[in-house]
Each structure stands twice: as C-alpha cells, then as structure tokens.
Amino acid sequence: MTDLTDHELERYSRQILLPQFDIAGQLALKASKVLIIGVGGLGSPAALYLAAAGVGHLHLVDDDCVDLSNLQRQVLHQQDSIGLSKVESAKAQLQRINSAISIVADRQRLEGEALKHAISAVDVVLDCTDNFETRIAINQACLQTQTPLVSGAAIRFEGQVATFDARVDDSPCYQCLYGTLGSQALSCSESGVLSPVVGIIGAYQALEAIKVISGLGQAITCRVQFFDGLRSDWREFKLKQDPACPACSKQ
C-alpha cells in the first residue's frame, strides 16, 4: 500500500519507473514544501517542473507585476497577464498544470523575520532572484534555519547553479563564493539575457531541488557549475568553506 492514488501513480509513472526514484521518491515530493523566491526568468521553469513533478506545496514569493519585456523569457506568464502580479499569474498557470498541489501566492518582498519564518517552514529554497542584497539575506536565513538552498543566476549567454546545504559539515555557503563582489553584478535589464539560458538554469534548479528532497543522486554541494551558452560548455569548480566568511564561518 502507498499514499499515492491510482491517478497519481499513472500521472507520475514515468519518474516512478526510475529505480533510483521509485514510489518513495514520489511520496517524498508529495510531502515536500518548496519556497521559490522570484517567479521570473529562473523561477518560471523551476516552478513549472516542480509542479509537474508533484511537489506537494509551492510557496511563490515576488512583489513585481508582469511587464511586456518579461514575456521573452518568463514562460509562466502570458500576454493577458501583463499588469497582474507575477505570483497570481504564476499560481493560475501552475494550477492548470497540476490542480492537486497546494500553491501559495505571496506578493511581497520578504525580509527579516518574515523571510526567516517562511524559509523555516519549507524543505528547500530556490533563490531565483536577481538582486545581490536579497541573495545574501536568503543565504543568511537558510544558514540560520539549516534549510538547503538552490541558487541560480543567468545573464547574457551565461548561467550558474549551486546547492548550499548547511546540514553538511564544513559546507560552503553562497557568500563563500562571492563575498562582497556580487554587489557589483549587473542585471538582465542592464546587460540582457538570451531566453533559453534562464530556462536551462531554472530547470536545473528544479532538478537539484528534487534531488535534495528525494535523496536522489548527488546534489551540487561544495561545487558550483557555470554554463556558457555561446560555447555550449559547462565548467565546474570545487568550492570550500571560507574560514573568514562573515555568514558561515565558525570563527
């Protein structure tokens, strides 16, 4: 006996067939809670795949509205969504894909204790934002709550993805990677981005979240991967905890 209905067994049959995933993996997804901060270029494909895969509860956070310039890459939103809040537009589309899952649309910029509280209530966080200060705050809250963080970024033709898990001894955090240099990063509105690049990175974030939730395979912890769309090239670098990191250092 399982806690999956006949409908769910059929719906998710293609991933249940995978021996490394099986019914146990599907049950883990069904019971899981995922927080996606930012439902734009990265959050759109990430949310689409997590909803389709059967994550039981999605908490979507974004304080922005849909703009015409978003539609080139933010595939959750449609032309008739222009002017609507991104979280409500995203929720409506995701519920068309999977009406059985729970979705919370949270139109605000989470900060301070509210951010920490939201993160403490979920199993994994996807950082799909484009603001360095926000990324640092998310990283800090994930460290404080011991919540795994899947971080993605994309600009021009390049993207990067990494998973940070404070539950792993001596694991690095997001700030170990960038320190304060990330504050100099440009945004898509300043430098542009090719639409499939955010799709690749956002989908990869969804894969990492599924792996963290189900225990499938090996997540990208203690590593960071970089994608070059012009060269069709992936590079990976090992990442160690910075003993002087202001966020996670024990000193």
Side-chain angles (χ1 to χ4, degrees), residues 18-64:
L18 300 168
Q20 303 94 326
F21 190 75
D22 205 3
I23 287 177
Q26 194 62 53
L27 285 170
L29 286 191
K30 183 177 180 179
S32 68
K33 298 179 180 180
V34 176
L35 174 62
I36 301 177
I37 305 179
V39 284
L42 297 171
S44 286
L48 282 167
Y49 276 108
L50 291 176
V55 166
H57 179 91
L58 289 176
H59 183 176
L60 311 176
V61 175
D62 200 309
D63 66 344
D64 203 1

Side-chain angles (χ1 to χ4, degrees), residues 82-222:
I82 293 173
L84 300 177
S85 73
K86 286 185 178 179
V87 288
E88 291 296 342
S89 169
K91 179 179 179 179
Q93 181 68 0
L94 293 172
Q95 289 188 322
R96 293 187 191 102
I97 292 169
N98 194 343
S99 61
I101 66 173
S102 170
I103 304 172
V104 171
D106 198 352
R107 186 184 177 182
Q108 65 171 311
R109 184 182 293 271
L110 286 178
E111 297 175 325
E113 286 301 312
L115 175 63
K116 184 177 177 181
H117 176 74
I119 287 176
S120 69
V122 300
D123 300 295
V124 62
V125 177
L126 272 65
D127 182 350
C128 300
T129 66
D130 59 1
N131 177 280
F132 180 69
E133 288 72 23
T134 301
R135 289 179 178 273
I136 290 298
I138 293 169
N139 176 70
Q140 187 65 50
C142 285
L143 287 170
Q144 292 172 346
T145 59
Q146 298 281 287
T147 306
L149 168 64
V150 182
S151 174
I155 193 168
R156 293 186 286 255
F157 305 97
E158 300 90 37
Q160 69 176 57
V161 63
T163 297
F164 303 101
D165 194 341
R167 302 171 302 177
V168 178
D169 288 341
D170 299 320
S171 176
C173 74
Y174 177 82
Q175 203 161 350
C176 290
L177 176 61
Y178 278 111
T180 59
L181 295 177
S183 60
Q184 304 171 22
L186 298 175
S187 66
C188 294
S189 61
E190 297 170 308
S191 301
V193 65
L194 195 65
S195 57
V197 174
V198 293
I200 290 168
I201 301 301
Y204 202 167
Q205 287 183 269
L207 172 61
E208 283 295 293
I210 290 172
K211 286 159 64 179
V212 168
I213 292 165
S214 66
L216 178 69
Q218 184 178 3
I220 317 172
T221 53
C222 303

Side-chain angles (χ1 to χ4, degrees), residues 226-248:
F226 296 93
F227 174 67
D228 185 334
L230 284 180
R231 294 172 53 88
S232 299
D233 178 56
W234 283 94
R235 292 176 295 154
E236 178 178 288
F237 296 93
K238 292 183 179 179
L239 183 62
K240 294 183 178 181
Q241 187 180 52
D242 181 357
C245 177
C248 71

